[in-house]
Amino acid sequence: MNRKDYREGGGPYVEIMDSTLRDGEQTSGVSFLPHEKLMIARMLLRDVNVDRIEVASARVSEGEKEAVRMICRMASQIDRLDSVEVLGFVDGHESVDWIEACGCRTINLLAKGSLRHCREQLNKTPDEHFADIHHTVAYARSKAMTVNIYLEDWSEGMKESPDYVYRLMDNICDSGIRRFMLPDTLGIMNPLQCIEYFRKMVKRYPDTHFDFHAHNDYDLAVSNSLAAVLSGAKGLHVTVNGLGERCGNAPLSSVQVILKDQFQAKTSICEDKLNAISRMVESYSGIAIAPNQPIIGDNVFTQVAGVHADGDKKNGLYQNALVPERFGRKREYALGKNSGKANIMKNLEELGLVLTPEQARRVTQRITELGDKKEIVTQEDLPFIVSDVLKHDAPEDSVKLVSYVVSTAYGLKPGANVKVEINGQQYEAGATGDGQYDAFVKALRYIYHKYLDRTFPILSNYQVSIPPGGRTDALVQTVITWNDNGHQLRTRGLDADQTEAAIKATFKMLNIIENERNNEI
């Protein structure tokens, strides 16, 4: 679909500018490597289809310059160079020259949007600052650059020095600037103030393109973003997962769904890619997504209460417009002490398991007991629980661990020797790795490749937990997520030894895959 097609029909079109790679990188502890910036930028432009991306601040470092060059080369190849923007400063020629040297064609100029910032940070009069802005804008335009301008601390400026804001706008609004970007730099506004201030700007400058840039200090970034659009903003700034300084910025996923569902606004965003970009940024940033984060959290499409599962079965009584398939996900029904019969039956249906009412009662009782112990029960655990509880002609494991030895010694790489039985045939291998479990998996991978000519599933996530206040002999719960040729499954192991818990989870996964394979033959 051509990008212009998104703009046809329906409600107002709102530009989405993602600033994950600039403002989002100001999150404490976050620093993206150049190739990570490239991967994020490519997904944002090519897959998520945001209108614009702000990728760096000028004059930061040589590494930053190389990252911007890489992104601009990539953007040129997919005909999106005009969508790449870099923050620049009112510093004469320096920022403009730095950005031009990177191959970027758009500068987002950072000017002072409050009298307090102008006087106390720059130590200049408004007229002196306005003159400096004109000089930098004129130079950028002489280089055929698109110029957008931030009015830094605009919200405070409207609150304490509106005359300064209007003088600034009157002075520069006819200087060839493409977009005027109004930030709530300190995150101080509420939606009512946002509406008031934005309407004043739009009324006074009706033909001007205004963006809004929200910060989340009062947890109002998303609400303020919607208020800005309701009041005439033509563009919004977001970050993936709400990354940003202090409390962060408005999250891309939340802003998108609220614009579409609550305001019927049009954007270019491909919603089924929101989860993928969130997971990529989570991995590169090291900042975990909260399980209850709307749209992208692990738990947001998981029903826990049994009454909800029952209602979903009866014409989707507990579902809203935020259906998981819209975001490339699926609804799940948690298993635990609150799950009840309906949740369990939903999971059994997905697995193709049919139980009598009495069998279902006994399985429900067992899962409730496990939930009381605060154990996590996954859908992949369910067949094992059924086999364990019912004891009715349960098939033997197709993949069995016959024996293994793992070793570690100071100055030497950990090693593992493993003997397994797969469909009645025994195989043996040894390997070294970066840890005992890594060595164990490498030995298994060797067996599958050499003797079975099959690929071994990829480990995509590994979580370990122990009870709060646990001692050195506490039970360790290991939950591992696997990817087997695009099919994702999650298995759990519980043991006092962490390596043994991981091994149990691994063999659960291998048996699930092997049983499916054997059933197809």
Side-chain angles (χ1 to χ4, degrees), residues 103-345:
C104 183
R105 307 304 306 157
T106 302
I107 180 172
N108 291 342
L109 191 63
L110 187 68
K112 299 303 180 182
S114 71
L115 181 60
R116 181 171 169 232
H117 272 220
C118 178
R119 284 180 173 171
E120 297 180 24
Q121 189 169 39
L122 298 182
N123 197 27
K124 291 188 175 184
T125 67
D127 288 337
E128 288 173 333
H129 185 42
F130 301 163
D132 292 341
I133 293 171
H134 275 290
H135 177 69
T136 301
V137 170
Y139 183 66
R141 296 201 66 204
S142 74
K143 297 288 186 176
M145 278 190 178
T146 297
V147 181
N148 304 319
I149 191 164
Y150 275 109
L151 274 60
E152 186 184 16
D153 201 35
W154 167 78
S155 52
E156 181 73 20
M158 289 298 291
K159 185 177 180 180
E160 301 294 339
S161 53
D163 289 343
Y164 169 85
V165 177
Y166 299 145
R167 279 189 62 201
L168 171 60
M169 286 295 301
D170 292 343
N171 201 280
I172 64 174
C173 65
D174 294 325
S175 58
I177 295 170
R178 172 70 180 85
R179 299 177 184 88
F180 292 79
M181 306 190 296
L182 309 179
D184 183 16
T185 304
L186 302 178
I188 61 172
M189 283 200 303
N190 62 53
L192 294 178
Q193 291 171 318
C194 189
I195 289 171
E196 177 190 352
Y197 299 158
F198 236 96
R199 285 181 176 174
K200 288 179 177 179
M201 297 292 287
V202 172
K203 182 178 180 180
R204 190 175 179 110
Y205 309 100
D207 299 323
T208 302
H209 179 116
F210 288 117
D211 279 4
F212 180 61
H213 180 105
H215 280 265
N216 204 37
D217 296 68
Y218 282 94
D219 204 18
L220 290 171
V222 175
S223 298
N224 285 336
S225 295
L226 178 60
V229 170
L230 289 170
S231 305
K234 296 180 180 179
L236 292 177
H237 297 188
V238 298
T239 60
V240 178
N241 302 342
L243 292 183
E245 200 163 24
R246 303 185 312 277
C247 301
N249 294 26
L252 165 62
S253 53
S254 296
V255 167
Q256 164 60 24
V257 299
I258 287 180
L259 284 177
K260 182 176 182 180
D261 295 0
Q262 304 292 339
F263 190 48
Q264 291 74 55
K266 303 294 183 182
T267 71
S268 63
I269 302 301
C270 297
E271 292 185 336
D272 61 347
K273 302 299 182 183
L274 290 175
N275 191 55
I277 188 63
S278 291
R279 297 302 162 184
M280 175 183 282
V281 171
E282 178 185 43
S283 175
Y284 288 158
S285 69
I287 304 296
I289 300 170
N292 62 341
Q293 177 75 21
I295 313 305
I296 55 175
D298 279 345
N299 296 348
V300 297
F301 297 118
T302 300
Q303 301 281 38
V304 174
V307 66
H308 294 166
D310 179 64
D312 283 349
K313 192 173 183 179
K314 297 171 180 174
N315 201 28
L317 297 180
Y318 289 91
Q319 298 178 16
N320 57 25
L322 299 174
V323 293
E325 291 77 14
R326 178 175 162 186
F327 310 104
R329 303 181 64 183
K330 69 174 187 175
R331 194 171 303 281
E332 297 181 359
Y333 295 88
L335 297 170
K337 66 180 181 181
N338 294 317
S339 55
K341 181 181 175 181
N343 270 21
I344 294 167
M345 296 308 293

